[in-house]
């Protein structure tokens, strides 16, 4: 996974609480992607960010979900008022940029909503 | 639109058997990239291979081999002499050859290798 860090690795929340997932990309990478993996399914694209900008959020639910990648610090995926259907593994991928480069995936955060 | 289909939901084999995991993709792009990832029970994604659309040469890496055929839009993965440690979910993925680099994943094939 080439140095992409995600924390926490496991997160338990009760319905209605907020979940904050953090992703620290590979040093020098300024692009971050978030993917969601529902149980027994493949990964689905959620959002693509470059430093301080959201480039593509076509895969992110319009309500309760938000993402940011500030100039300093990790990228944050925030889920407000979580529901049981939000239980999933959330993967972050880091990318340097350029068509010849590829993404490096983090270990994922497993969110369980009780 | 981009789409990746892994029709085999689950495969069970006995150790030392060969097994092929199928992957069929759809894209109108002329430049694209294909990937295989392994997801063991621990949950992380392990990168196996990346292939660009202009390179149709088959690749072999130890017990793993990949067969890329543009004529059938397929990128199949074969494990020779399977081992119990190969048990995992395997994902095929496609990315467009543009700056957005968004990945489109198949639904995965769960491989069970029994001793």
């Amino acid at each position: 996974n080439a140095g992409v860090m995600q924390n926490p690795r496991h997160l338990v929340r009760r319905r209605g609480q907020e979940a904050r997932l953090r992703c620290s990309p590979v040093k020098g990478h300024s692009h971050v992607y978030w993917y969601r993996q529902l149980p027994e399914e493949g990964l689905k694209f959620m959002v693509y960010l470059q430093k301080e900008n959201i480039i593509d959020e076509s895969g992110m639910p319009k309500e309760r979900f938000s993402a940011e990648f500030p100039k300093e610090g990790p990228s944050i995926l925030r889920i407000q008022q979580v529901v049981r259907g939000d239980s999933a593994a959330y993967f972050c991928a880091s990318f340097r940029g350029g068509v010849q480069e590829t993404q490096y995936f983090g270990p994922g955060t497993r969110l369980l909503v009780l | 639109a981009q789409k990746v289909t892994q029709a085999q939901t689950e495969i069970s084999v006995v150790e030392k058997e060969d097994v092929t995991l199928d992957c069929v993709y759809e894209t109108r792009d002329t430049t694209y990239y294909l990937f295989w990832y392994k997801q063991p029970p621990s949950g992380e994604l392990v990168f196996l291979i990346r292939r660009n659309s202009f390179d149709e040469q088959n690749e072999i890496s130890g017990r793993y081999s990949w067969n890329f055929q543009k004529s059938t839009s397929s990128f199949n993965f074969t494990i020779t002499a399977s081992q119990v440690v190969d048990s995992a979910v395997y994902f095929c993925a496609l990315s467009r050859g543009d700056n957005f680099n968004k990945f489109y994943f198949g639904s995965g094939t769960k491989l069970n290798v029994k001793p």
Side-chain angles (χ1 to χ4, degrees):
Chain A
N1 56 20
V4 180
M5 294 177 14
Q6 290 187 248
N7 66 80
R9 296 290 305 275
H10 299 273
L11 182 61
V12 180
R13 286 288 178 264
R14 296 193 179 279
R15 281 179 296 170
Q17 291 184 319
E18 179 179 287
R20 280 184 179 238
L21 288 61
R22 294 174 184 78
C23 169
S24 296
V26 172
K27 190 175 180 181
H29 286 195
S30 58
H31 304 241
V32 162
Y33 300 77
W34 285 93
Y35 295 84
R36 179 166 66 173
Q37 183 181 26
L38 294 171
E40 309 296 324
E41 293 188 14
L43 283 74
K44 297 285 195 309
F45 168 79
M46 297 182 74
V47 61
Y48 166 35
L49 308 103
Q50 292 182 21
K51 282 285 187 181
E52 301 184 271
N53 291 304
I54 296 176
I55 306 301
D56 181 353
E57 56 181 348
S58 58
M60 199 152 71
K62 294 287 185 281
E63 298 181 355
R64 303 187 298 108
F65 286 71
S66 62
E68 62 176 10
F69 189 15
K71 189 176 180 182
E72 301 292 336
S75 176
I76 306 286
L77 179 67
R78 182 182 178 206
I79 312 172
Q80 296 177 287
Q81 300 175 344
V82 295
V83 300
R84 288 212 174 114
D86 296 333
S87 296
Y90 292 83
F91 288 90
C92 160
S94 164
F95 175 53
R96 185 165 67 179
V99 294
Q100 296 302 319
E101 298 294 325
T102 192
Q103 299 179 21
Y104 296 90
F105 282 86
T109 293
R110 272 91 189 148
L111 171 65
L112 175 63
V113 180
L114 301 177
Chain B
Q2 279 54 240
K3 186 179 179 182
V4 176
T5 301
Q6 294 180 257
Q8 303 152 309
T9 306
E10 189 166 350
I11 301 175
S12 292
V13 299
V14 176
E15 208 170 17
K16 297 184 184 177
E17 284 185 4
D18 299 348
V19 59
T20 296
L21 309 182
D22 297 333
C23 173
V24 174
Y25 63 92
E26 295 176 30
T27 181
R28 293 183 180 177
D29 296 340
T30 54
T31 302
Y32 52 89
Y33 297 87
L34 296 165
F35 302 79
W36 276 95
Y37 285 86
K38 175 181 180 180
Q39 188 175 44
S42 52
E44 75 273 21
L45 286 172
V46 178
F47 169 82
L48 296 178
I49 190 170
R50 175 187 191 229
R51 181 46 59 88
N52 76 55
S53 53
F54 297 109
D55 184 1
E56 280 194 79
Q57 280 194 344
N58 291 336
E59 180 152 343
I60 298 175
S61 176
R63 296 183 298 106
Y64 296 169
S65 62
W66 291 269
N67 184 350
F68 176 28
Q69 292 199 351
K70 289 176 78 170
S71 60
T72 55
S73 297
S74 64
F75 187 43
N76 296 338
F77 172 33
T78 297
I79 302 175
T80 303
S82 59
Q83 300 176 0
V84 173
V85 293
D86 295 327
S87 296
V89 180
Y90 291 85
F91 291 99
C92 180
L94 167 77
S95 75
R96 305 181 69 179
D98 61 16
N99 288 327
F100 291 92
N101 204 24
K102 185 161 65 177
F103 273 41
Y104 300 84
F105 281 86
S107 54
T109 297
K110 184 175 183 182
L111 176 63
N112 303 305
V113 182
K114 302 175 182 177

